[in-house]
Amino acid sequence: MEEIKLYLDEAKELMQKAVDHTASELLKIRAGKAMPNLLDGIMVSYYGAPTPLSQVASVTTPDARTLTIKPWERNLISEIEKSIINSDLGLAPQNNGEIIILTIPPLTEERRKNLVKQAKQECETGKISIRSVRKDTNEGLRKLQKDGASEDDVKRAEDTVQKLTDQYSVKIDELLAKKETDIMTV
């Protein structure tokens, strides 16, 4: 039945979005390695307007523990430094007049465990989103049954929704396992 297929396609799409969102949230959790996306949330005052750091400077990683920020305009160095200091990253910028250097300190064991907890929390949020999609889809399917869809078709569709839920939950578990390994590797 066409309506059932629409419900299943929408469920699949929403569950994939939940996985993608979880993956993007996990990227924000730093694992002790210098990665340019660590600075994605930093906003710099550029001629009075808050602007993402990536739009006013290039960020590179010369090695695993260092980030270098090269502003496109030299007068932005102090603004970028101020933004980094005021962020919750806990990093101390150093500059040589042309570039800003950020040294990423190694993580303590306690900090690593806290980051793993944070990663688990993000993954649980993703799984909750997936279960919510399952619930909404099943409710929609039951309404179709009341409106005349066959009970067998609806039951098969509900089984498919459960399989999708399991499939996407496993994807989130895989993301967590990868991130946990990444965080705990010294």
Side-chain angles (χ1 to χ4, degrees), residues 152-166:
D152 289 344
D153 287 345
V154 170
K155 186 70 182 141
R156 274 193 294 276
E158 286 177 345
D159 291 344
T160 304
V161 170
Q162 183 58 49
K163 285 179 186 153
L164 286 173
T165 302
D166 296 342

Side-chain angles (χ1 to χ4, degrees), residues 19-29 37 175:
V19 170
D20 294 344
H21 178 74
T22 302
S24 71
E25 289 300 310
L26 287 177
L27 277 177
K28 295 176 186 173
I29 299 173
N37 63 2
L175 287 173

Side-chain angles (χ1 to χ4, degrees), residues 63-82:
D63 63 54
R65 295 248 178 255
T66 312
L67 285 173
T68 58
I69 304 165
K70 182 162 178 52
W72 292 315
E73 295 178 28
R74 201 178 273 180
N75 63 339
L76 283 175
I77 285 184
S78 64
E79 280 297 327
I80 293 172
E81 275 187 310
K82 219 184 301 176

